[in-house]
Amino acid sequence: MTERPAYSFNILRVFNFVMYGALAVYGTFFSLYLKDIGISPIEIGTLLAGGPIVSLVANPLWAYWADRMRNNRIVLILALIGAFATMQVVFSTGNEPLIYGAILVYFIFQSPLFTQSNSLILNTIEGTRHKFGAFRMWGSLGWAVTAAASGPLIGHLGIHKLWVVFDVAMLVAIAIAFLLPRGSEMQNAGSSNKTSYAQIFANRPFLMLLGIGVLVSVPNSINGTFVGLYIDQLGGSASVVGWSMFATAFLEAPVFLLMDKYMKRSVKPMVGWLVIASLLYTIRWALMGTADTALQIVAIQLMHCATFGIYYYVGTQLTSLFVPAEYRSSGQAIYGLTWGGVSGILAGTVGGWMFQELGPQEMYRISAGVTLMGTIAFCAMLRMVSRRRFDRRPEGNNSGA
């Protein structure tokens, strides 16, 4: 297959950096913004849980459209523009019902951004020497650098001016999205006649990945939603919150590169890595349950590179392996729903209640217990896949280990 121009790969790297950076502004500081306008932790959790509910429907529809059009770029452009426009409504009003409604619309557009950008990477590098991690790491760097840089800036401007930082970051991402490669999927035109969407759910290990993944992803979503409030409760500033997000994402980049180089592209070792990541998650949440200073939280967040970095990378690659290539966008969307949709709903509702009624430390102790159950379940999955042989390899990783 003919190698794409280097320009396409460079634009893809830049886009991942700026898009993840824009979403980092929202993900890091929006809960603090809501608190500043008088919304309680339970209300914040309920509000943010509404988005994942919407994404359960929206994300598969976006993915189906991308699969039919063979064009990830147009989906990303429309989603970014829609997300930008709806957040202007959120930032321009203090009316809670209107904020709720606008956030629900925002999540219609935000929901496909992560999964469609992953699909675009996989489709662009297919048949080349390039690997997924070398591109996805730029998203981690963008998230880390933008979160750290935005903290002092927002501290200076005031959390009520969050819209300034968010808007600038989103407009840059939208502009660069127009330069992206199309992301066409290179399979035979007749291949779709041999497969169907039912095959996505016919693979038992894939279903186990989705089901067990909820046990691991719910605590992670709880942390993403409430760690800023936890730091604030312990007296940390917006700058400390930003550095906390920097700690979570910056070291993901070398993890992705190491996984590219050393992880074997077969099911058994991949599931083994999920066991390791889940166990590290259990340790991480147990440590968070003992933290009593904001700086301790920042230090513990450094474990994110090994927990989320390994889990996200392996889950994305396993999904690419299990799902037929012509339904790659849909497969990534389904995987994304378990990571952000179902887990986001539970994190917002149950997590908000635990944070307010039980306290953040008890919330994290419970999270450690839930993730431990996920670790045990992945051990059972490892035993199951060890008895089966899988010959297919993840797409877009045709060279290397």
Side-chain angles (χ1 to χ4, degrees), residues 167-203:
D167 284 4
V168 170
M170 283 293 285
L171 288 172
V172 173
I174 291 169
I176 295 177
F178 281 94
L179 304 176
L180 287 169
R182 176 187 174 95
S184 302
E185 296 176 8
M186 304 296 184
Q187 73 280 344
N188 294 330
S191 63
S192 60
N193 295 326
K194 301 177 183 179
T195 56
S196 69
Y197 275 94
Q199 287 190 265
I200 298 177
F201 300 99
N203 189 293

Side-chain angles (χ1 to χ4, degrees), residues 69-376:
M69 294 182 65
R70 302 287 183 255
N71 193 329
N72 303 110
R73 177 182 62 196
I74 190 64
V75 171
L76 287 167
I77 290 171
L78 293 177
L80 284 167
I81 292 174
F84 172 81
T86 52
M87 283 303 291
Q88 306 317 299
V89 177
V90 174
F91 289 129
S92 65
T93 181
N95 182 278
E96 285 192 31
L98 187 57
I99 291 175
Y100 270 69
I103 285 295
L104 292 178
V105 177
Y106 166 79
F107 269 95
I108 292 176
F109 294 102
Q110 189 264 0
S111 62
L113 292 177
F114 294 117
T115 56
Q116 288 302 307
S117 63
N118 286 343
S119 294
L120 179 59
I121 293 172
L122 291 168
N123 292 332
T124 302
I125 67 176
E126 185 171 2
T128 74
R129 60 182 175 80
H130 297 282
K131 295 185 178 182
F132 175 78
F135 289 86
R136 176 55 181 80
M137 68 172 239
W138 286 96
S140 299
L141 292 174
W143 186 287
V145 172
T146 306
S150 298
L153 181 59
I154 292 171
H156 174 72
L157 296 174
I159 193 67
H160 61 285
K161 291 290 185 67
L162 177 63
W163 66 271
V164 175
V165 183
F166 177 83
D167 284 4
V168 170
M170 283 293 285
L171 288 172
V172 173
I174 291 169
I176 295 177
F178 281 94
L179 304 176
L180 287 169
R182 176 187 174 95
S184 302
E185 296 176 8
M186 304 296 184
Q187 73 280 344
N188 294 330
S191 63
S192 60
N193 295 326
K194 301 177 183 179
T195 56
S196 69
Y197 275 94
Q199 287 190 265
I200 298 177
F201 300 99
N203 189 293
R204 185 180 175 188
F206 182 52
L207 295 181
M208 293 184 71
L209 171 66
L210 299 179
I212 300 170
V214 172
L215 294 175
V216 180
S217 60
V218 169
N220 183 75
S221 294
I222 288 176
N223 179 70
T225 302
F226 296 104
V227 68
L229 296 180
Y230 190 14
I231 291 173
D232 181 74
Q233 187 181 93
L234 294 175
S237 65
S239 180
V240 175
V241 174
W243 280 108
S244 171
M245 293 301 105
F246 178 88
T248 65
F250 184 73
L251 293 178
E252 282 180 9
V255 170
F256 287 138
L257 292 178
L258 288 171
M259 297 296 285
D260 269 346
K261 186 173 183 179
Y262 294 111
M263 189 187 72
K264 293 183 179 179
R265 267 65 180 180
S266 58
V267 174
K268 183 178 177 180
M270 287 183 178
V271 177
W273 279 109
L274 292 180
V275 173
I276 294 171
S278 301
L279 181 60
L280 291 174
Y281 260 129
T282 302
I283 297 170
R284 179 181 172 189
W285 305 141
L287 291 173
M288 289 287 279
T290 65
D292 53 17
T293 69
L295 291 180
Q296 286 179 353
I297 294 177
V298 174
I300 297 168
Q301 289 284 79
L302 289 170
M303 292 185 67
H304 182 87
C305 68
T307 53
F308 178 80
I310 294 173
Y311 192 95
Y312 184 90
Y313 182 100
V314 174
T316 300
Q317 295 286 352
L318 275 174
T319 299
S320 182
L321 188 153
F322 290 142
V323 176
E326 60 268 31
Y327 300 126
R328 179 177 293 141
S329 292
S330 296
Q332 293 296 335
I334 294 168
Y335 173 66
L337 287 180
T338 63
W339 186 258
V342 176
S343 65
I345 295 168
L346 295 174
T349 54
V350 179
W353 178 84
M354 288 194 296
F355 188 95
Q356 183 160 308
E357 300 299 326
L358 304 179
Q361 290 187 329
E362 187 63 26
M363 178 186 75
Y364 278 108
R365 294 187 189 106
I366 294 173
S367 295
V370 172
T371 307
L372 180 59
M373 290 190 291
T375 305
I376 295 170

